Amino acid sequence: MVSSGGDTRRRALAVCLVAAFMTGLDVSIVNVALPSIRDGLHASEDGLQWTLSGYALTFGLLLVPAGRLGDSRSRRTVFLWGVALFTLSSLACGLAWNMHVLIVARLVQGMAAGMLNPQVSGLIQQMFQGYERGRAFGALGATIGVSTAAGPLIGGALVSVFGPDFGWRWVFLVNLPIGMVLLPLAWRLLPRPQLVHRRPESMDPVGVLLLGIGVAGLLLPFIQRHQWESAAKWLLVPAALVVLVGFVVWERLYRREPLVNLALFRKRSYSLGSVIALFYFAGFTGIFFIFTLYLQSGRGYSALAAGLAITPFALGSASAALLGGHLVSRLGRRLVAIGLSMVIVGLLATMEATALVPGQAVGLATALPLLLAGMGSGLVIAPNQAITLSEVPPEGGGSAAGVLQTGQRLGTAIGIAAVGSVFFGGLGEGWPTAFRHGLAVVVTSVAIALAAALYDLIRTHHDTKTHPDPGREGLQPGGDP
């Protein structure tokens, strides 16, 4: 028998997962529509780049402040405003009559996504405990994996069905019915404001400003690496690091409740989990970027065919993420290490497949290796998030999730820049060789994440031998160093 309270929490979780799917989809769905947008709105390369990078920029900037706002006031309220803003900005994107309107709408859409995502993690922290929390994060991981990997497939299908003139508009307009259904369901099912821990403390405006400037300074050179040709852009990176050091100093000295609880980083589960997320996302999202380019530009695949070719990764990720949610409380960080190893093996096999079958059948040849890599990915994202947030108090779940996801956004931007640079630099040797060079960068980044996971396992084994604790949960393999 499942209690009515359990039923309500499951329905509330479903609402959160649909919102996560919607925002995750818009990270990758636009890629295959770029040629249609260029023709339909006579867009420049700069305009197309901002259509992608503008969303990523504002997404990353809002994560931590929005997470803190939800923790301090009401996650439900911030969630509702985020859904409403995302739906309206999607409408504006779909109806855009020129590139300026589209870019502004995408910036707002990214802000709405940044408002929504930390609330999802915070609400899971709030509504579930222990084993159930692991399963909920498993469902979230499956959702993230499917939305990111299925974006090119769904986008390609929409462009094919509605044609190049209107298909790109439906890439954005598809969010309207989702948002319109989400709003009343979220209003009815999500925990009411009075159930959320409320704090009268300041929102730390100086901390918000310093973190925003630092994150923007780090992101901009990478997301504008091709359009901003001057090498002076890289001066923003050390300047941003100086600002972020100032942010850390401010947070330590701030007398009231700081924007980010730096004590979290003294917990090995949180600090190493954040490192794993940073490096894994630096590699993970680069796969879709170079694979769709390789298939469409190098092998003449249509947008729909390229989307279908990446589907095995999405299927593997979704299925394994659900399994990972069940196993994480028992296996802990070992599960993440297994997943990272599977990703590396799958990507190495993908590289070998492109060497053996360099022609039109490459999409079929890479299906099984990508399925294996996708299954590994499903055992990484959700379990790592569950472990990383396992020692975070529920009342601070949104802020902690916001910091974790900001690291993921930074990793994504830096990783795509690094993978893309190597990929484009190798085009002189042919598309298959360039693709393998790009994948080598992805594998290196994932290997660093694996090293961090193995370090955590070694430390945990040492701590267990030194201070045996038979009651220790697998979901908390790190603890205080």
Side-chain angles (χ1 to χ4, degrees):
M1 292 288 290
V2 178
S3 67
S4 59
D7 287 339
T8 300
R9 285 186 296 122
R10 285 176 175 79
R11 289 195 292 267
L13 175 62
V15 168
C16 292
L17 296 182
V18 172
F21 181 87
M22 184 172 64
T23 59
L25 190 68
D26 271 66
V27 173
S28 60
I29 194 174
V30 182
N31 285 288
V32 296
L34 290 179
S36 299
I37 294 173
R38 180 186 59 214
D39 296 339
L41 296 181
H42 307 291
S44 65
E45 291 298 320
D46 282 359
L48 293 176
Q49 176 65 21
W50 269 105
T51 303
L52 295 177
S53 60
Y55 182 85
L57 177 63
T58 51
F59 193 152
L61 288 178
L62 264 287
L63 286 167
V64 177
R68 171 62 184 276
L69 183 62
D71 290 344
S72 301
R73 307 297 190 267
S74 165
R75 294 182 183 122
R76 176 175 175 268
T77 301
V78 178
F79 184 97
L80 288 167
W81 277 106
V83 171
L85 190 61
F86 194 91
T87 305
L88 291 173
S89 57
S90 296
L91 176 63
C93 288
L95 299 180
W97 57 91
N98 61 44
M99 280 304 297
H100 297 296
V101 174
L102 180 59
I103 290 169
V104 171
R106 280 287 281 177
L107 290 170
V108 176
Q109 195 184 39
M111 292 173 60
M115 292 171 63
L116 273 172
N117 274 265
Q119 314 316 320
V120 172
S121 297
L123 285 164
I124 289 176
Q125 290 279 97
Q126 178 182 337
M127 295 188 295
F128 298 95
Q129 299 287 332
Y131 176 71
E132 283 191 324
R133 183 182 291 173
R135 294 181 63 180
F137 274 119
L140 178 61
T143 302
I144 293 171
V146 170
S147 66
T148 305
L153 174 61
I154 296 174
L158 290 170
V159 171
S160 298
V161 170
F162 292 101
D165 293 334
F166 295 100
W168 71 265
R169 296 186 182 275
W170 280 101
V171 163
F172 301 109
L173 295 175
V174 72
N175 294 320
L176 264 65
I178 302 175
M180 292 172 67
V181 171
L182 269 182
L183 278 171
L185 290 177
W187 176 267
R188 183 161 59 92
L189 294 172
L190 295 185
R192 300 280 170 178
Q194 62 264 28
L195 298 181
V196 178
H197 181 79
R198 301 175 69 91
R199 295 196 295 258
E201 286 87 353
S202 163
M203 282 296 295
D204 187 9
V206 175
V208 170
L209 181 64
L210 289 173
L211 183 63
I213 293 172
V215 171
L218 280 179
L219 283 173
L220 271 175
F222 291 101
I223 62 180
Q224 284 287 285
R225 62 194 182 281
H226 296 306
Q227 282 63 41
W228 188 355
E229 295 181 357
S230 171
K233 63 178 177 288
W234 299 112
L235 294 176
L236 282 179
V237 174
L241 292 175
V242 171
V243 173
L244 290 175
V245 169
F247 166 75
V248 171
V249 172
W250 170 262
E251 295 296 281
R252 287 185 179 278
L253 297 177
Y254 191 54
R255 295 295 182 184
R256 304 175 75 179
E257 188 73 14
L259 178 66
V260 175
N261 180 8
L262 297 177
L264 286 174
F265 289 96
R266 292 199 292 270
K267 298 181 182 296
R268 196 166 71 243
S269 59
Y270 190 82
S271 58
L272 283 178
S274 298
V275 170
I276 291 169
L278 173 70
F279 282 98
Y280 182 68
F281 272 78
F284 162 67
T285 45
I287 300 169
F288 311 111
F289 175 57
I290 62 172
F291 193 53
T292 53
L293 274 176
Y294 169 44
L295 293 179
Q296 288 183 269
S297 300
R299 288 292 169 260
Y301 277 46
S302 67
L304 179 58
L308 284 170
I310 202 71
T311 301
F313 191 102
L315 294 175
S317 179
S319 58
L322 293 173
L323 177 64
H326 288 272
L327 296 177
V328 64
S329 60
R330 193 186 327 159
L331 297 178
R333 193 76 78 190
R334 282 176 293 170
L335 186 65
V336 177
I338 291 169
L340 290 166
S341 300
M342 289 173 64
V343 173
I344 292 172
V345 171
L347 294 181
L348 290 175
T350 300
M351 294 169 65
E352 186 64 21
T354 60
L356 296 174
V357 188
Q360 284 291 317
V362 67
L364 184 61
T366 56
L368 282 179
L370 286 175
L371 178 66
L372 176 63
M375 292 173 64
S377 183
L379 299 180
V380 173
I381 297 176
N384 185 65
Q385 184 160 357
I387 296 165
T388 304
L389 298 177
S390 62
E391 296 183 275
V392 176
E395 60 270 17
S399 300
V403 174
L404 178 63
Q405 291 174 18
T406 299
Q408 294 173 359
R409 294 300 111 203
L410 287 170
T412 297
I414 295 170
I416 287 179
V419 173
S421 296
V422 173
F423 174 77
F424 289 118
L427 285 179
E429 301 177 55
W431 286 94
T433 301
F435 177 63
R436 288 193 291 274
H437 287 174
L439 271 191
V441 178
V442 173
V443 170
T444 301
S445 184
V446 177
I448 295 173
L450 176 60
L454 293 175
Y455 172 76
D456 192 19
L457 287 173
I458 293 169
R459 286 291 305 273
T460 301
H461 179 69
H462 177 267
D463 291 348
T464 303
K465 287 181 66 176
T466 307
H467 305 289
D469 182 6
R472 191 176 186 85
E473 293 186 13
L475 196 61
Q476 299 179 339
D480 292 324

